């Protein structure tokens, strides 16, 4: 069975985040979140779950980068 694209974007985003490449991580998480908005591809619960995980991590990265920019 195929993995949902949102899961692949989530995993790639996590790897970039661990490597400290926050801009690339944000791009991956954003693409993973956008998968949820594409109704033709959003057929599984796994796809929705990973899209929401992408959104959560995207918001966390934005909070972290905003905090560092103000210091």
């Amino acid at each position: 069975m195929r993995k949902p694209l949102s899961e692949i974007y989530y995993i790639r985003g996590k790897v970039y985040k661990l490597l400290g490449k926050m801009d690339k991580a944000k791009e991956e998480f954003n693409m993973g979140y956008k998968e949820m908005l594409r109704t033709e591809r959003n057929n599984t619960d796994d796809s929705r779950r990973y899209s929401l995980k992408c959104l959560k991590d995207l918001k966390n990265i934005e909070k972290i980068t905003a905090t560092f920019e103000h210091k």
Side-chain angles (χ1 to χ4, degrees):
M1 190 167 161
R2 285 184 40 179
K3 289 186 179 284
L5 278 175
S6 56
E7 181 179 358
I8 293 167
Y9 290 133
Y10 177 74
I11 293 168
R12 288 172 56 178
K14 283 295 209 183
V15 170
Y16 282 126
K17 186 177 175 184
L18 289 172
L19 293 173
K21 298 181 179 185
M22 296 301 180
D23 289 336
K24 291 293 280 181
K26 283 171 58 172
E27 288 176 23
E28 295 295 326
F29 289 138
N30 192 32
M31 289 191 300
Y33 168 65
K34 286 182 179 178
E35 283 299 311
M36 185 169 69
L37 304 176
R38 297 181 182 166
T39 56
E40 71 273 5
R41 290 187 182 168
N42 191 20
N43 295 330
T44 66
D45 289 336
D46 284 343
S47 181
R48 282 193 262 339
R49 183 167 28 116
Y50 280 102
S51 289
L52 291 174
K53 284 183 175 186
C54 285
L55 178 62
K56 179 182 171 190
D57 279 0
L58 179 62
K59 286 186 175 189
N60 287 339
I61 287 176
E62 288 174 349
K63 285 180 188 176
I64 291 168
T65 55
T67 303
F68 285 124
E69 289 175 358
H70 290 294
K71 289 186 177 183

